[in-house]
Amino acid sequence: MADQYAQSGEDKRPSEIPAIRWEEPPEGPVVVLLDQTRLPAEEVELVCTDASALVEAIRSLAVRGAPLLGIAGAYGVALAAVRGFDVDDAADALAGARPTAVNLSVGVRRARAAYRAAVAEGGDPAQGARAALAAARQLHREDAEASARMAGHGLALLDELLPGGGHRVLTHCNTGALVSGGEGTAFAVALAAHRAGRLRRLWVDETRPLLQGARLTAYEAARNGMGYTLLTDNAAGSLFAAGEVDAVLVGADRIAADGSVANKVGTYPLAVLARYHHVPFIVVAPLTTVDAQTPDGASIEVEQRPGYEVTEVSAPQAPVTGAGGGVPVAPLGTQAYNPAFDVTPPELVTAIVTEEGTISPVTAEALAEMCAGAGQGGQRS
Ligand SMILES: CSC[C@H]1O[C@H](OP(=O)(O)O)[C@H](O)[C@@H]1O
């Protein structure tokens, strides 16, 4: 299949397309985002001049994905500080933009703490702003490094679990360069397998209702020349039954202290299918996703999103009559259940891969030991 996106301008690889960057044009510093709601048809950038623009971009999923939300939150605090807005107001609004991905509040907290420390040491607000920006840039670099290390650990795990190579991997939602300062989390492992010649097939769940798989993972797989096949979420079961899945690779938005994993809705059913079919179910996430202060899965706040995301589809060529500006696919007035995430218990998780290595089996003790070893006592919003 010709790369239909190649004609959309310079054929840049996703890993070369910054999902986020800080720029300092003459008119003042800005945060530039690749608007993920416009992909794959259009590569459009959003230029944010204040934290409120970033809050809206987070809420609309123009910028999304746990690690990237942390980076965006940190840059948002720096942007507010540099432009002279109230840093605490900006930090609170950014941290509250979406509730489930702990990375967001971690990033906001790190930039705010850097600002406050600089000012407390006698620095003026400008020095505080520089400290906040330095913290955001450090988080950005750390995440890129974490992504590369997770890719290595994850590929080693796949090779260990699946001797003989030719891995057929199923993934859910989007976990590539579009969620990361680097090449992503779970997708980065699949990409490493591809580059090593050991990815036989990448099965891509479309991931209703916002289609992060169809729109974003397929886009990233195509741009990286990977052999991928898109499927509806409800087709995954028949794929397992046919013996076509060797491993499941997913990301995470929050990992509780007991090892429960909050991730895009539809992840939990995959974990149950994987267990039933004796297929490894692997979670790939940086330690900034682990929240030691959230004791278990029941304590994780799962974001509930607007019903129109379920009852409507966006179809630019069609008249839009729905509440969400889309084309209704259900009777007007239909109520919809639309949790953005679900929670998988640790006993269904074969392994958690982080930048520090692999945890298997997944226990609270092993998780705490890894966080302590990395000098991260577990994140707190
Ligand atoms: C590994 S971060 C990507 C993670 O974030 C996604 O959620 P959203 O698209 O709503 O930000 C999904 O849970 C992915 O696994």
Side-chain angles (χ1 to χ4, degrees), residues 63-79:
V63 61
R64 47 156 293 282
L68 192 67
L69 290 177
I71 297 166
Y75 277 130
V77 171
L79 187 62

Side-chain angles (χ1 to χ4, degrees), residues 154-155 157-158 169-173 175 185-191 193 199 202 245 247-251 263 270 280-284 353:
L155 179 56
L157 178 63
L158 284 180
V169 169
L170 183 137
T171 192
H172 192 68
C173 197
T175 57
T185 60
F187 184 88
V189 175
L191 184 55
L199 182 71
L202 181 66
V245 182
V248 177
L249 286 174
V250 295
N263 196 54
L270 289 177
F281 181 85
I282 300 165
V283 174
V284 185
V353 174

Side-chain angles (χ1 to χ4, degrees), residues 142-171:
E142 285 174 3
D143 190 68
E145 290 159 14
S147 175
R149 294 170 64 185
M150 288 188 286
H153 293 317
L155 179 56
L157 178 63
L158 284 180
D159 290 342
E160 176 191 339
L161 294 173
L162 308 169
H167 310 324
R168 295 168 299 178
V169 169
L170 183 137
T171 192

Side-chain angles (χ1 to χ4, degrees), residues 44-81:
V44 174
E45 291 191 319
L46 284 178
V47 179
C48 301
T49 57
D50 59 28
S52 60
L54 262 171
V55 168
E56 179 49 38
I58 291 169
R59 286 181 177 149
S60 66
L61 277 75
V63 61
R64 47 156 293 282
L68 192 67
L69 290 177
I71 297 166
Y75 277 130
V77 171
L79 187 62

Side-chain angles (χ1 to χ4, degrees), residues 282-380:
I282 300 165
V283 174
V284 185
L287 288 179
T288 47
T289 305
V290 177
D291 179 11
Q293 274 71 42
T294 295
D296 52 34
S299 308
I300 297 174
E301 181 182 354
V302 174
E303 177 186 9
Q304 299 297 321
R305 293 191 61 86
Y308 61 70
E309 292 178 351
V310 177
T311 60
E312 299 173 18
V313 292
S314 59
Q317 73 281 6
V320 295
T321 58
V327 176
V329 292
L332 291 179
T334 296
Q335 296 300 305
Y337 170 61
N338 186 22
F341 304 100
D342 58 25
V343 178
T344 299
E347 58 268 27
L348 292 183
V349 180
T350 306
I352 294 178
V353 174
T354 78
E355 65 273 36
E356 295 300 325
T358 297
I359 298 172
S360 182
V362 175
T363 65
E365 293 75 20
L367 205 50
E369 184 179 343
M370 179 165 281
C371 289
Q376 301 201 36
Q379 311 306 340
R380 187 58 197 152

